[in-house]
Amino acid sequence: MREFFDVCIIGSGFGGSVCGAKLSGAKKTTLILEQGRRWDKNTFQQTQDVKYLKEIYEEFEGENIKVSTAMGVGGGSLLYSASSLRTSSLVFEQKDKNGRRLWPSEYSRKVLNPYYEKVEKNLNVSQLLWSEVPKRDGIFAKACNAAGYTCDRLRIAIVNCRNCGFCHTGCKFDRKQSLILNYIPEAEKNGAKIKEECKALLVKRNEKGYLVAYKDLKSGVINEVSCKTVIVSAGAIQSPALMLRSKKYLDNLSSHVGKNLTANGNIFLAAHLPKEDCEVFKGKVQGSVTYAFWEEGFVLQGVGTLPISATVINRVRFNNAKKPFYWGIEMKRVMKEYGRHLLGIAVIGLDGSDGSVFLDENENIKLIWSMSEKSRKVFDKAIVRAKEIVESLGGELLITEPYQEKGEVITVHPLGTCRMAGDKSDGVIDSNCQVFGNPNLYIVDSSAVPSPLGVNPSLTIAAIAERASDYIVQNFQP
C-alpha cells in the first residue's frame, strides 16, 4: 500500500535533518529517506579498516576530481571535523565572470546571522581556548607568528572532547555534536519517520503533489510514497543526480542542474617540521585557522590526519624522494616522521566552481573538473603561503600528489550543483530553495549553496535550511 505524508525529505544531513525537525515540529507528517544506515557511539569504530570506511563514506571519483561524502543517518555530521564557522560577508557579494552576483539579492551575512545563531545554539558551538587546541595547532600558530601572520582558535561543535583523534570515523563518546544528538532526535520526537538504507530513485509530479520512488536496499523492494511537498537533501552529488533522473517527470528543470560544482577550494598539504613534536594523530582533528590570506581567496587550517589519508588518499612524499615515490622506502620515510614531525594543513578557498555532475547513458553518476585560472591561482598562492609559514620554523612543505603532481582536486566540501539564484537562467532554485517551475519541490543541502564559502560549510548549510524551513512551514499548502 502506498504511504502518504505531508513532507518527504530525501537525505538526513545538515539540510535534511534541520528541515525534518522544523517541519515535524509544525505538525506536518514527515518521512525522511536515508540511503545509509544508522550509526551511533556503539557502532562507530576507531579504525582505518577499509571495509568499515567504505560503509560510512561514499566516494565519487571523476576526471580530475575526487569527492568524499558521508553515508548514514546524520549525513556529513557523522564524520565532519565539527569546525563551525560563519562565512564572511564578502562571500555573499561574489560575482561571476559576467559581473552577476552569485547569491540571490535576499541573502547577506546580516540576513543569515539569526539562523547561524539558532544552529550554533543547537550544536553547542563555541570557540576553543588556546589551552584546548591540539599541540599541532599550537605549532601551526607558532609557525604563523614566526612568519608574521596571525592565527586564531577555531569555533567547533564539540563538548568536553576526549581528544582521541578519530573525528573522521565517528565519535564514540558523543562529544562531537553530530546531528544524531540534536536535530534528528528532535524530528523523531515530533513524530517524523526515518527509513534508513532506502535510496530515492525518482521524484514525479502527481495529483496530490509528488510521488517519490525509492528502493529498500535491505530487501531490494522498490516502494513509492505520495506527498504534498518534497525536500531533496541528498548532497551536492546525489541531489543533482536524482534531479537529472527525474527530469522528464518534472516541469522545465534549469539547465544548471549538476553544473557549478565547487570544491570549496579544498586541497590538503603536509609539512615536515623536524624540530617540533607535532603529535599529529592526537586531539581534535582541527583547532586553528589563519585568516591572514583571506584577501587572496583562502584560509589555512591546522589539521590532524590519520595515516591512511597521508599515504593512500593524499599520497605525501618528500621533495627529494626517489621513485617509486609512494611505496617502499619512500613511504617508510614518511611514516617514520608521521607521528611526531608531520603537520597537516587544510586549504579552504574561493575556487572557480569548475566542476559538474552528470549521468552517463546507463544513469551512472559521473564527475568532471576543468581547472580554471581562478582556481589555479588560489591553490598555487595557498601553497606558496603554506611553504612560507612552514619554513619559518625550519620545516619543509612536502609534495601531495593529487594537486601538485596531477592537477586533481580532492574535496570533502562539494557545493553548488543545484544552486540558488534570482531566476532559472542562473540557477536551479530560488532564494527559498524552491525549484523553479515546480511548486513545493525544494532542494536544501550543500548543492543549494551558490558559491564557494572559503570556510567549512556545515554551519552555512544548516543556517540556509533553518531559513528555508521557516518559509516552507509558512507557505505550506494544506
Side-chain angles (χ1 to χ4, degrees):
M1 184 175 69
R2 181 182 297 170
E3 293 183 281
F4 178 81
F5 289 84
D6 290 331
V7 183
C8 178
I9 300 173
I10 300 167
S12 61
F14 284 101
S17 66
V18 172
C19 291
K22 297 291 288 289
L23 270 293
S24 60
K27 308 302 181 184
K28 310 303 177 188
T29 56
T30 302
L31 172 67
I32 301 175
L33 298 175
E34 169 55 53
Q35 175 181 328
R37 55 168 280 190
R38 286 189 187 255
W39 299 92
D40 60 30
K41 64 181 181 180
N42 297 313
T43 52
F44 290 135
Q45 297 180 32
Q46 295 184 338
T47 182
Q48 297 177 90
D49 178 18
V50 174
K51 182 179 178 181
Y52 169 74
L53 296 178
K54 284 185 174 181
E55 283 187 70
I56 201 165
Y57 278 93
E58 186 169 27
E59 305 285 332
F60 302 92
E61 185 168 351
E63 185 177 333
N64 300 321
I65 185 170
K66 296 176 183 176
V67 176
S68 291
T69 61
M71 192 160 54
V73 175
S77 75
L78 301 176
L79 305 173
Y80 77 144
S81 66
S83 300
S84 302
L85 301 174
R86 301 187 188 190
T87 196
S88 166
S89 59
L90 298 177
V91 163
F92 300 98
E93 304 304 323
Q94 290 178 91
K95 294 180 171 58
D96 66 14
K97 60 184 178 182
N98 298 316
R100 184 190 67 84
R101 190 179 192 263
L102 289 173
W103 288 75
S105 59
E106 293 88 344
Y107 270 87
S108 67
R109 169 65 180 270
K110 183 178 180 180
V111 167
L112 266 193
N113 276 339
Y115 302 103
Y116 276 134
E117 289 174 9
K118 288 183 180 181
V119 178
E120 288 167 343
K121 181 178 180 180
N122 283 333
L123 299 185
N124 293 304
V125 174
S126 63
Q127 187 172 30
L128 291 169
L129 302 174
W130 278 116
S131 59
E132 296 174 317
V133 305
K135 186 175 180 180
R136 63 174 178 273
D137 287 281
I139 291 170
F140 178 67
K142 177 181 174 182
C144 289
N145 183 65
Y149 303 115
T150 58
C151 186
D152 204 357
R153 305 141 293 150
L154 277 172
R155 292 177 60 80
I156 64 168
I158 300 178
V159 178
N160 298 323
C161 184
R162 293 288 292 271
N163 291 306
C164 65
F166 280 90
C167 301
H168 287 165
T169 64
C171 182
K172 289 185 68 64
F173 307 104
D174 280 350
R175 305 305 172 88
K176 184 173 74 172
Q177 301 297 287
S178 300
L179 298 167
I180 58 176
L181 301 179
N182 35 72
Y183 283 101
I184 286 172
E186 180 183 349
E188 292 189 298
K189 182 180 178 181
N190 293 337
K193 183 177 182 179
I194 298 178
K195 290 190 176 184
E196 66 267 22
E197 296 185 77
C198 288
K199 181 178 177 62
L201 303 175
L202 290 171
V203 178
K204 306 177 184 180
R205 298 290 293 267
N206 74 357
E207 67 282 356
K208 291 187 176 181
Y210 292 92
L211 192 70
V212 177
Y214 67 94
K215 182 177 183 179
D216 185 318
L217 299 178
K218 298 186 290 292
S219 67
V221 174
I222 294 177
N223 298 304
E224 292 180 333
V225 59
S226 183
C227 53
K228 297 175 183 177
T229 295
V230 173
I231 301 173
V232 178
S233 302
I237 308 301
Q238 292 285 10
S239 285
L242 178 61
M243 289 294 95
L244 290 170
R245 292 190 187 103
S246 306
K247 186 174 182 179
K248 62 183 176 182
Y249 303 106
L250 301 172
D251 291 339
N252 299 314
L253 277 182
S254 168
S255 62
H256 282 272
V257 174
K259 297 179 181 177
N260 313 302
L261 172 63
T262 167
N264 201 29
N266 283 183
I267 56 172
F268 173 82
L269 302 173
H272 179 230
L273 295 167
K275 300 177 183 179
E276 305 290 341
D277 185 356
C278 298
E279 294 185 352
V280 69
F281 54 88
K282 293 183 180 179
K284 306 162 188 71
V285 168
Q286 290 185 303
S288 60
V289 57
T290 176
Y291 300 103
F293 313 113
W294 182 250
E295 291 187 359
E296 297 179 37
F298 59 90
V299 302
L300 300 178
Q301 296 178 345
V303 61
T305 176
L306 295 173
I308 194 171
S309 177
T311 57
V312 177
I313 301 171
N314 291 291
R315 294 167 70 89
V316 174
R317 71 171 174 87
F318 285 91
N319 287 275
N320 64 355
K322 297 178 181 179
K323 292 184 177 180
F325 292 148
Y326 301 108
W327 61 283
I329 290 175
E330 293 299 345
M331 186 52 61
K332 288 182 179 179
R333 283 180 67 195
V334 171
M335 290 312 300
K336 184 179 180 181
E337 299 299 300
Y338 163 78
R340 293 187 63 187
H341 301 304
L342 256 61
L343 173 68
I345 300 174
V347 179
I348 307 179
L350 306 180
D351 64 35
S353 301
D354 306 328
S356 60
V357 178
F358 60 97
L359 302 177
D360 66 13
E361 62 275 9
N362 297 314
E363 295 197 339
N364 297 310
I365 295 174
K366 298 292 181 180
L367 278 65
I368 188 169
W369 181 271
S370 301
M371 190 78 70
S372 66
E373 187 62 24
K374 178 180 179 180
S375 294
R376 193 175 299 282
K377 283 182 178 179
V378 169
F379 294 144
D380 289 349
K381 284 180 181 178
I383 291 170
V384 169
R385 293 302 194 183
K387 185 172 185 289
E388 179 185 359
I389 288 170
V390 169
E391 290 179 350
S392 72
L393 286 187
E396 170 190 359
L397 189 69
L398 304 184
I399 300 293
T400 48
E401 182 191 44
Y403 176 72
Q404 289 173 278
E405 292 193 332
K406 291 186 174 181
E408 297 176 347
V409 294
I410 296 178
T411 183
V412 294
H413 297 160
L415 306 167
T417 47
C418 295
R419 72 182 184 187
M420 65 174 76
D423 58 62
K424 194 174 77 170
S425 65
D426 289 323
V428 180
I429 57 178
D430 64 20
S431 61
N432 297 308
C433 295
Q434 189 164 210
V435 177
F436 289 116
N438 292 268
N440 304 316
L441 174 59
Y442 298 85
I443 302 175
V444 188
D445 60 14
S446 55
S447 71
V449 180
S451 77
L453 296 174
V455 295
N456 313 69
S458 57
L459 200 69
T460 299
I461 297 167
I464 290 171
E466 284 275 2
R467 182 180 185 274
S469 296
D470 283 352
Y471 176 85
I472 297 169
V473 169
Q474 292 165 9
N475 293 274
F476 194 85
Q477 299 296 319

